[in-house]
């Protein structure tokens, strides 16, 4: 689900805008169109006129009687006669609550404005005093004139608009996720082969990532076994691929090309091959950042003629790596010198692996054109149309794809791919 949301935010944001803007506009218009209401409360006290009437039951009965009388049509008509306020407005606005413990009446008025609410509350309280003047048993007094009550948080238009915007955002994200989920996806190696027109040479299963409560969730042995399986698939594709530098790139951003390129280099080095790994991401410098390579000399210095290739080589364990210190643009000099550098590396090293940016970036086209062949990394679950588009772009630039690595696949899928790759290599 998290992966779906990530893809929706990256690729389906136009759908989010298409849904979010109308929903937000209609919601804000509706909130602003609602009438603003105000509430005021006045308090009237009802007390016995003398000791002989100081009976709790009598007081309770009297308080209830006043509450009913004030809110009745007759009582409200009296208020209307005294003040000129329309009786229909009074019926809509006035409610009277009785408190038997304190023998008080709360006159609650809901009106269009604060001033109007105060006016009506005071008028009803004054009418209660008029009624009490004719009652010999009780005294009626106004304990508190009308006071405007603070509206609840949910009554604030700004709060309602913020809630509606949040709802609109959730609806828009849901629409984007629905569109993303509706796309056909890479579910098997056969899907990847059909979308790219190239053979799946290996699979890499998804390893759980360390988290707050998880530390080393993947052992080094598991990683090395995965690396060896990748090399087996690479060797299986040797017959159909030209010799020379191998470019590893993802079909999209975050496909895992950098990890695959390093594991291939690591497995080749462990097998005794003279391998050189080059960070060919001239814009993102992803491999160099992940490996925390020293910033002394890099590929950018070699391309600019400030250093030779040998001086730019660092080691990550047993793997020789040429890092890229800073981002470069793609100009004619960079393109020409990159071809010369890769040719020089291929003459000195048995295997040269170049980590390139994902398909779609200009850097991928530049690196791919100077490599002998390309390994395309396709993550399981990637939309078919996007993988197909990446393969077409490579073909349009004349970049040969020697094979596909299916990344983040379930263990069973990866194991079956290893078996096929091993049999193919043995047959060759």
């Amino acid at each position: 689900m998290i992966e779906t949301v990530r893809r929706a935010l990256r690729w389906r944001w136009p759908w989010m805008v298409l849904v979010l803007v109308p929903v937000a506009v209609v919601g804000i218009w509706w909130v602003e169109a609602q009438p603003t209401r105000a509430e005021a409360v006045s308090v009237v006290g009802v007390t016995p006129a003398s000791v002989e009437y100081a009976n709790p039951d009598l007081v309770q009965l009297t308080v209830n009687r006043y509450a009913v009388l004030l809110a009745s049509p007759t009582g409200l008509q009296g208020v209307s006669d005294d003040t000129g306020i329309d009786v229909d407005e009074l019926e809509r606005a006035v409610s009277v609550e009785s408190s038997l413990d304190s023998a008080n009446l709360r006159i609650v008025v809901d009106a269009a404005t604060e001033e109007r609410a105060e006016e009506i509350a005071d008028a009803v309280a004054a009418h209660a005093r008029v009624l009490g003047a004719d009652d010999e048993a009780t005294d009626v007094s106004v304990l508190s004139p009308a006071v405007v009550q603070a509206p609840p948080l949910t009554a604030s238009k700004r709060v309602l608009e913020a809630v509606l915007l949040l709802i609109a955002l959730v609806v828009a994200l849901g629409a984007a996720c629905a569109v993303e989920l509706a796309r056909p996806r890479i579910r098997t190696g056969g899907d990847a082969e059909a979308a790219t027109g190239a053979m799946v040479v290996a699979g890499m299963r998804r390893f759980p990532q360390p988290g707050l409560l998880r530390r080393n969730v993947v052992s080094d042995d598991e990683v090395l076994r995965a690396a060896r399986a990748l090399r087996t698939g690479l060797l299986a594709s040797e017959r159909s691929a030209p010799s020379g530098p191998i470019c590893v790139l993802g079909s999209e951003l975050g496909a895992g090309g950098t990890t695959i390129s390093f594991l291939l280099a690591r497995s080749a080095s462990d097998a005794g091959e003279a391998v050189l790994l080059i960070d060919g991401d001239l814009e993102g410098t992803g491999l160099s950042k992940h490996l925390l390579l020293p910033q002394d000399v890099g590929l950018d210095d070699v391309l600019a003629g400030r250093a030779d290739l040998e001086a730019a080589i660092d080691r990550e364990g047993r793997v020789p790596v040429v890092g890229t210190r800073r981002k470069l643009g793609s100009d004619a000099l960079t393109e020409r010198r990159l071809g010369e550098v890769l040719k020089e590396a291929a003459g000195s090293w048995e295997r040269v692996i170049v980590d390139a940016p994902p398909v779609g970036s200009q850097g991928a086209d530049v690196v791919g054109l100077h490599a002998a062949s390309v390994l395309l990394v396709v993550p399981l679950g990637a939309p078919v149309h996007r993988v197909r588009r990446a393969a077409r772009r490579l073909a349009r630039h004349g970049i040969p794809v020697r094979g596909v690595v299916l990344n983040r696949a379930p263990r069973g899928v990866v194991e079956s791919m290893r078996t096929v790759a091993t049999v193919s290599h043995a047959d060759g």
Side-chain angles (χ1 to χ4, degrees), residues 88-331:
D88 291 335
E89 181 182 2
L90 291 173
E91 289 178 352
R92 290 192 301 268
V94 177
S95 63
V96 181
E97 303 169 356
S98 60
S99 173
L100 301 182
D101 294 333
S102 60
N104 292 338
L105 299 173
R106 291 182 77 252
I107 301 169
V108 182
V109 176
D110 181 23
T113 65
E114 294 180 357
E115 293 77 11
R116 191 62 168 171
E118 289 180 316
E119 179 186 358
I120 295 175
D122 285 334
V124 176
H127 188 67
R129 292 184 60 188
V130 172
L131 295 176
D134 298 331
D135 190 346
E136 298 179 355
T138 57
D139 291 329
V140 178
S141 60
V142 179
L143 300 181
S144 172
V147 176
V148 175
Q149 304 298 297
L153 187 61
T154 54
S156 170
K157 287 189 174 183
R158 302 289 85 82
V159 173
L160 288 176
E161 288 171 356
V163 171
L164 283 173
L165 285 175
L166 181 60
I167 294 173
L169 182 61
V170 172
V171 171
L173 181 59
C177 289
V179 172
E180 184 67 18
L181 288 172
R183 293 282 190 177
R185 298 184 173 280
I186 302 296
R187 302 298 184 188
T188 64
D191 293 341
E193 291 181 348
T196 60
M199 179 180 68
V200 175
V201 298
M204 171 66 68
R205 72 181 182 90
R206 181 188 289 274
F207 290 114
Q209 298 297 314
L212 182 63
L213 301 178
R214 303 192 304 270
R215 295 303 178 187
N216 298 323
V217 295
V218 181
S219 67
D220 290 340
D221 288 341
E222 287 183 277
V223 175
L224 291 179
R225 281 197 298 271
R228 287 193 292 270
L230 286 173
R231 180 172 179 273
T232 299
L234 181 67
L235 293 176
S237 65
E238 292 282 78
R239 284 190 310 175
S240 58
S243 60
I246 302 171
C247 173
V248 181
L249 72 170
S251 61
E252 61 182 58
L253 185 66
T258 296
T259 301
I260 298 299
S261 62
F262 179 77
L263 290 178
L264 281 172
R266 172 67 187 274
S267 62
S269 177
D270 290 345
E273 290 186 57
V275 61
L276 178 64
L277 178 60
I278 298 177
D279 183 359
D281 189 351
L282 304 179
E283 298 176 358
T285 66
L287 181 66
S288 303
K289 291 177 181 177
H290 286 302
L291 297 182
L292 301 177
L293 296 178
Q295 298 295 303
D296 300 331
V297 181
L299 179 63
D300 51 304
D301 296 302
V302 178
L303 295 176
R306 294 188 295 267
D308 58 24
L309 183 61
E310 191 65 32
I313 296 176
D314 294 297
R315 285 189 174 273
E316 174 62 26
R318 297 172 56 182
V319 180
V321 183
V322 176
T324 298
R325 295 192 309 162
R326 53 182 175 269
K327 299 178 182 179
L328 294 176
S330 180
D331 52 27

Side-chain angles (χ1 to χ4, degrees), residues 360-408:
S361 62
Q362 188 176 6
D365 299 335
V366 172
V367 177
L369 285 171
H370 292 293
S373 60
V374 164
L375 274 181
L376 183 62
V377 180
V378 176
L380 190 76
V384 171
H385 78 281
R386 200 170 297 142
V387 176
R388 189 177 292 123
R389 184 170 58 199
R392 283 200 301 263
R393 180 178 179 120
L394 294 174
R396 189 166 59 248
H397 286 81
I399 301 173
V401 179
R402 71 183 295 165
V404 174
V405 176
L406 187 62
N407 196 18
R408 303 171 192 156

